[in-house]
């Protein structure tokens, strides 16, 4: 899945500004102390609220007063994936101290002596390639034994579908754990509540509504083959993760008809035409859509009744990070599974905490009951799927079907 961000930027300034005030102002929490236990996190910007970072800092200091917490954020998942690649490449090429970045040589501001963080955010979309390219190390049995949240994680039937991977990144029940999820999101249908009401049109409730004749030329679609072909597969009663598209005889005409409905394809600007009345419907990611709907009453959204695509932000371990997770690192992983923290994370970031996934709406904290779109539940959740990695032959087939579908609507 492509990356999403909402909040401000991390700006690395000159040391001359003043080390202490600089670090605090940029969100690099904690201070370096002699004999301290370092914990460095590199995360996707806006996926963790600053107030919860402060809560973690206060909590971990109670058990480990000497911890030095350093949090760095990046704007895009692509950047984080590229970081993993560069760290791996650097580890294979010996460097002198003079050739390393001055920033990485300063534990107070950089990422410790090795320049490698303990944990990094990665989307499940990127996980397969990261494992296949040898960029990660798995969470060992010892690591998992140190997590109080592990039983809750491993026993969740929806999360267990993507938890274990082999060394090629493919889902495998006999594989290893390469990522610990901390935030989930879904693909939703956004629509203009005011326009549909004015025209006496019922709002969409499922994928099949995208083919309604009154919506022809009024739909924004994601510029993503797996998403668009996947929603057509769901309409036809098949899985997002269908490996052989040739086994779905009605797929190509269904996609051609959907292409005639579309006015616009984009993975990052699909909401603008919706706000400007150019489209009435937009297929998009909940992390983008739900905050907009909260600000603008004319924008509404629905999780398709036949199920949707799910995605996860995960904590992963760089291949070149220290071999054993420290106690503060384990505390970091567990922190996001605490019920109170999970509820706040869901409210403040418009993502779903995996700790709350699958709970009936009436059992969620009261503040969350006003946001049912955050939480697919019941049959909808059961029918929803993570986009699992497909064999190379299948990916080529998806690209071919996508190319045949696309014409003459231009991608952005």
């Amino acid at each position: 899945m492509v990356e999403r961000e909402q909040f401000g930027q991390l700006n690395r300034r000159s040391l001359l500004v003043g080390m202490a005030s600089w670090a605090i102002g940029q969100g690099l929490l904690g201070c370096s102390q002699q004999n301290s236990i370092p914990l460095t996190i590199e995360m996707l910007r806006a996926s963790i609220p600053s107030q919860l970072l402060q809560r973690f800092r206060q909590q971990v200091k109670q058990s480990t007063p000497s911890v030095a917490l350093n949090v760095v954020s990046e704007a895009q998942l692509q950047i984080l994936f590229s970081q993993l690649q560069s760290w791996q490449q650097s580890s294979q090429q010996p460097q002198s101290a003079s050739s390393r970045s001055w920033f990485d040589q300063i534990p107070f501001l950089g990422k410790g002596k090795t320049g490698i963080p303990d944990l990094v955010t990665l989307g499940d979309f990127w996980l397969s390639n990261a494992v296949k390219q040898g960029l990660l190390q798995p969470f060992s049995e010892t690591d998992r034994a140190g997590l109080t949240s592990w039983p809750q994680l491993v026993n969740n039937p929806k999360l267990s579908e993507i938890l274990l991977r082999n060394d090629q990144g493919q889902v495998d029940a006999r594989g290893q754990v390469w990522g610990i999820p901390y935030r989930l999101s879904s693909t939703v249908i956004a629509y203009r509540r005011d326009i549909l009401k004015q025209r006496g049109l019922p709002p969409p409730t499922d994928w099949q509504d995208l083919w309604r004749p009154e919506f022809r030329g009024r739909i924004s679609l994601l510029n993503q083959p797996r998403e668009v072909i996947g929603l057509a597969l769901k309409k036809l009663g098949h899985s997002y993760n269908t490996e052989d598209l040739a086994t779905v005889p009605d797929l190509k005409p269904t996609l051609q008809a959907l292409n005639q409905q579309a006015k616009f394809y984009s993975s990052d600007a699909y909401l603008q035409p919706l706000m400007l009345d150019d489209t009435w419907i937009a297929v998009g990611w909940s992390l983008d859509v739900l905050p907009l709907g909260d600000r603008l009453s004319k924008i509404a959204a629905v999780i398709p009744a036949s199920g949707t695509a799910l995605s996860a932000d995960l904590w992963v371990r760089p291949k070149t990070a220290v071999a054993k997770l420290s106690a503060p690192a384990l505390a970091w992983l567990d922190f996001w599974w605490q019920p109170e923290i999970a509820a706040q994370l869901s409210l403040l970031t418009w993502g779903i905490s995996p700790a709350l996934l699958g709970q009936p709406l009436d059992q969620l904290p009261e503040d969350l009951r006003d946001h049912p779109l955050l939480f697919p539940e019941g049959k909808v959740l059961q029918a929803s799927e993570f986009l699992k990695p497909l064999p190379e032959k299948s990916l080529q087939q998806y690209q071919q079907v996508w190319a045949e579908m696309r014409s003459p609507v231009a991608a952005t």
Side-chain angles (χ1 to χ4, degrees):
M1 207 65 67
V2 300
E3 57 284 349
R4 280 88 62 176
E5 73 260 22
Q6 295 170 280
F7 299 159
Q9 296 182 347
L10 179 71
N11 184 17
R12 297 178 179 177
R13 301 180 181 176
S14 167
L15 283 174
L16 299 177
V17 176
M19 288 187 180
S21 60
W22 186 95
I24 295 172
Q26 299 307 316
L28 303 181
L29 305 179
C31 60
S32 180
Q33 301 174 2
Q34 191 173 12
N35 300 322
S36 65
I37 302 175
L39 173 60
T40 302
I41 308 295
E42 189 141 357
M43 69 177 192
L44 177 65
R45 188 172 305 153
S47 68
I48 297 295
S50 59
Q51 53 266 57
L52 294 187
L53 288 177
Q54 185 63 23
R55 283 282 299 275
F56 173 77
R57 182 189 182 193
Q58 295 169 349
Q59 184 169 310
V60 75
K61 283 287 186 179
Q62 295 176 4
S63 58
T64 314
S66 60
V67 67
L69 175 63
N70 178 19
V71 179
V72 180
S73 70
E74 298 290 355
Q76 300 176 353
L77 288 169
Q78 172 68 65
I79 295 175
L80 292 164
F81 183 79
S82 297
Q83 290 267 47
L84 290 168
Q85 291 177 316
S86 66
W87 294 326
Q88 179 67 0
Q89 292 166 2
S90 296
S91 73
Q92 298 169 354
Q93 300 174 352
Q95 292 180 302
S96 65
S98 61
S99 67
R100 295 198 304 269
S101 164
W102 65 269
F103 188 86
D104 286 339
Q105 296 180 57
I106 303 174
F108 180 71
L109 296 178
K111 305 180 186 69
K113 295 181 180 179
T114 64
I116 308 299
D118 300 277
L119 297 165
V120 177
T121 297
L122 194 66
D124 66 301
F125 179 83
W126 305 87
L127 186 61
S128 176
N129 281 335
V131 173
K132 191 184 306 183
Q133 294 179 28
L135 309 181
L136 307 177
Q137 56 179 302
F139 290 86
S140 67
E141 289 187 16
T142 301
D143 294 333
R144 301 196 298 268
L147 292 173
T148 59
S149 57
W150 177 249
Q152 186 180 1
L153 171 60
V154 75
N155 291 326
N156 187 300
K158 187 56 65 176
L159 296 177
S160 64
E161 293 178 6
I162 63 162
L163 194 60
L164 298 173
R165 308 281 182 114
N166 60 28
D167 58 8
Q168 293 300 303
Q170 298 293 318
V171 176
D172 187 341
R174 297 171 297 179
Q176 301 186 82
V177 178
W178 300 90
I180 304 293
Y182 70 93
R183 188 176 69 154
L184 311 177
S185 57
S186 60
T187 305
V188 299
I189 301 174
Y191 61 92
R192 283 290 298 271
R193 189 201 317 262
D194 55 336
I195 292 177
L196 298 192
K197 184 177 180 180
Q198 290 169 4
R199 295 174 177 271
L201 300 174
T205 60
D206 208 346
W207 296 124
Q208 63 189 19
D209 290 317
L210 300 181
W211 282 260
R212 283 163 47 180
E214 61 265 34
F215 294 149
R216 182 162 184 165
R218 295 292 187 177
I219 297 176
S220 302
L221 293 175
L222 293 167
N223 191 23
Q224 295 281 334
R226 290 291 305 275
E227 288 278 6
V228 175
I229 295 174
L231 70 85
L233 288 167
K234 294 298 284 186
K235 173 187 182 289
L236 296 171
H238 295 265
S239 168
Y240 269 97
N241 298 302
T242 300
E243 292 191 6
D244 186 0
L245 299 182
T247 62
V248 187
D250 295 333
L251 180 61
K252 289 186 178 181
T254 299
L255 288 170
Q256 290 168 357
L258 179 60
N259 187 57
Q260 294 175 356
Q261 298 288 93
K263 182 174 185 178
F264 192 78
Y265 286 86
S266 176
S267 293
D268 56 12
Y270 55 88
L271 291 176
Q272 284 86 332
L274 188 69
M275 292 186 288
L276 296 173
D277 303 355
D278 288 336
T279 60
W280 302 346
I281 305 285
V283 175
W285 291 299
S286 58
L287 292 175
D288 295 333
V289 173
L290 299 186
L292 180 65
D294 192 57
R295 296 193 305 268
L296 300 175
S297 60
K298 65 183 180 181
I299 304 293
V302 62
I303 299 175
S306 59
T308 189
L310 302 173
S311 59
D313 290 332
L314 312 157
W315 298 119
V316 299
R317 303 192 65 204
K319 180 77 170 186
T320 47
V322 294
K324 183 179 179 181
L325 279 178
S326 65
L330 290 170
W332 174 272
L333 294 171
D334 270 333
F335 180 77
W336 307 106
W337 284 73
Q338 297 175 23
E340 180 186 355
I341 301 302
Q344 291 186 44
L345 179 72
S346 300
L347 281 172
L348 295 172
T349 72
W350 297 99
I352 312 165
S353 167
L356 303 177
L357 188 68
Q359 292 189 21
L361 195 61
D362 60 3
Q363 294 182 18
L364 292 173
E366 186 174 354
D367 289 345
L368 292 174
R369 295 173 198 167
D370 295 331
H371 302 281
L373 282 173
L374 281 174
F375 299 94
E377 59 173 342
K379 293 181 179 179
V380 176
L381 176 60
Q382 187 175 357
S384 297
E385 305 172 74
F386 288 97
L387 299 183
K388 299 176 183 178
L390 295 175
E392 186 61 32
K393 183 178 180 180
S394 298
L395 292 176
Q396 293 174 358
Q397 189 182 39
Y398 271 73
Q399 289 294 340
Q400 181 180 350
V401 170
W402 179 248
E404 292 174 358
M405 170 194 177
R406 295 293 303 281
S407 129
V409 180
T412 64

